Amino acid sequence: MIKGMFTSSSMAYPCQISKELEQYVVTNAPPTVYYIPDFITEVEEQYLLQEVYKAPKPKWTQLSGRRLQNWGGLPRPKGMLAEKLPDWLLKYTNRISDLGAFNGKAANHVLVNEYKPGEGIMPHEDGPLYHPTVTTISLGSHALLDFYRPIGQCGTEGPRDEESRCLLSLLLRPRSLLILREEMYERLLHGIRNDWEDTLTERVANLSSASAQPGGVLTRGTRVSLTIRHVPKVICANLLLGRKKC
Ligand SMILES: O=C(O)CCC(=O)C(=O)O
């Protein structure tokens, strides 16, 4: 990690993604993937895990195959009734906003996902409720994130089965930051298979920056991810209550 690069926090956020991030672009993937190993330290990782597991039980939503915490409000087509992010998350969301990841806006939404070995997430798009950039900090264990062409993109004759639609994968090591934008966000679906281990192949586009080799097999532990985004359409609670200040 470059010292001092990811530490400042300011009121106004850069409108352009930081030039210093160029060295982290994954060049053999469609535009644009930034993979930043060791974005946080081991001490910060432990701190974030402690805070995640401090949350009261009702903060967790159990889904089939993973559980999650939602912070910042529930994004809806009419707007998100915004809730202030807790300080332990704000420190990191501000660091990412400071990189210009959200075109001058501040991240205001965090989804915490917990995956036990054998769990994953179905291929999906993040959709139009978010600014089209997703940033993810991985904690505790790695993930292999797979990217798929959507069905129908190559015409009705295009491949429909998941395996042949899979274009590439990214290895997300604990403590790394992933930033996806443009085609990687807007055109492709992403998902994590329900497996206990991951075999690395040449299809993993960031093998070298993730210090990995083809043929390597990684056994999964429990992984917690922080998916940090900006929801542009926000409803101000104070305005709803008839107060002047938002
Ligand atoms: O855990 C991850 O890295 C992916 C999470 C994700 O795709 C989502 O929350 O929509």
Side-chain angles (χ1 to χ4, degrees):
M1 182 169 67
I2 298 175
K3 278 216 159 42
M5 181 175 166
F6 302 116
T7 49
S8 74
S9 173
S10 55
M11 292 304 286
Y13 297 102
C15 293
Q16 304 268 324
I17 199 136
S18 163
K19 283 252 176 283
E20 285 166 293
L21 283 182
E22 274 168 20
Q23 60 182 306
Y24 299 105
V25 171
V26 177
T27 49
N28 51 343
T32 303
V33 182
Y34 301 85
Y35 176 77
I36 303 141
D38 296 315
F39 179 71
I40 58 168
T41 63
E42 283 182 29
V43 172
E44 290 178 304
E45 178 185 32
Q46 288 314 312
Y47 164 73
L48 282 168
L49 284 168
Q50 255 175 36
E51 293 296 328
V52 165
Y53 288 114
K54 251 194 223 167
K57 235 182 163 188
K59 190 72 191 164
W60 287 101
T61 303
Q62 182 68 54
L63 303 178
S64 70
R66 72 194 153 106
R67 57 177 190 156
L68 61 83
Q69 295 174 8
N70 186 85
W71 294 95
L74 281 177
R76 295 188 196 281
K78 286 194 172 161
M80 175 173 82
L81 190 54
E83 295 158 13
K84 193 179 172 295
L85 291 172
D87 288 343
W88 60 273
L89 279 175
L90 262 182
K91 181 173 169 196
Y92 295 92
T93 60
N94 285 343
R95 256 195 219 179
I96 295 171
S97 308
D98 267 343
L99 298 173
F102 305 104
N103 296 93
K105 302 281 190 266
N108 58 358
H109 188 260
V110 182
L111 212 55
V112 176
N113 282 298
E114 183 205 57
Y115 306 87
K116 296 264 165 55
E119 296 184 333
I121 185 167
M122 296 262 293
H124 64 283
E125 289 171 342
D126 285 351
L129 297 184
Y130 301 100
H131 173 89
T133 297
V134 58
T135 70
T136 309
I137 297 177
S138 294
L139 307 170
S141 186
H142 75 279
L144 198 62
L145 190 64
D146 300 313
F147 290 83
Y148 302 87
R149 277 188 222 101
I151 293 176
Q153 187 167 296
C154 324
T156 44
E157 301 307 310
R160 300 185 77 83
D161 65 295
E162 224 163 81
E163 196 47 45
S164 45
R165 283 168 43 225
C166 187
L167 261 190
L168 71 140
S169 307
L170 294 170
L171 174 59
L172 312 184
R173 296 277 196 186
R175 300 179 293 284
S176 66
L177 174 70
L178 175 74
I179 305 178
L180 300 176
R181 334 180 72 197
E182 298 156 341
E183 204 175 321
M184 286 295 289
Y185 181 96
E186 291 178 279
R187 192 172 68 85
L188 301 180
L189 284 71
H190 56 273
I192 299 170
R193 289 165 215 249
N194 299 334
D195 279 334
W196 279 261
E197 57 181 31
D198 296 293
T199 302
L200 306 177
T201 66
E202 298 287 356
R203 198 154 68 179
V204 180
N206 66 330
L207 275 178
S208 61
S209 52
S211 311
Q213 301 261 332
V217 179
L218 300 178
T219 303
R220 292 192 194 174
T222 296
R223 171 175 177 261
V224 170
S225 66
L226 309 182
T227 304
I228 297 164
R229 290 179 278 211
H230 172 72
V231 177
K233 205 165 167 188
V234 159
I235 307 165
C236 173
N238 273 345
L239 288 184
L240 281 183
L241 295 169
R243 296 182 192 138
K244 281 204 181 118
K245 263 194 151 179
C246 199

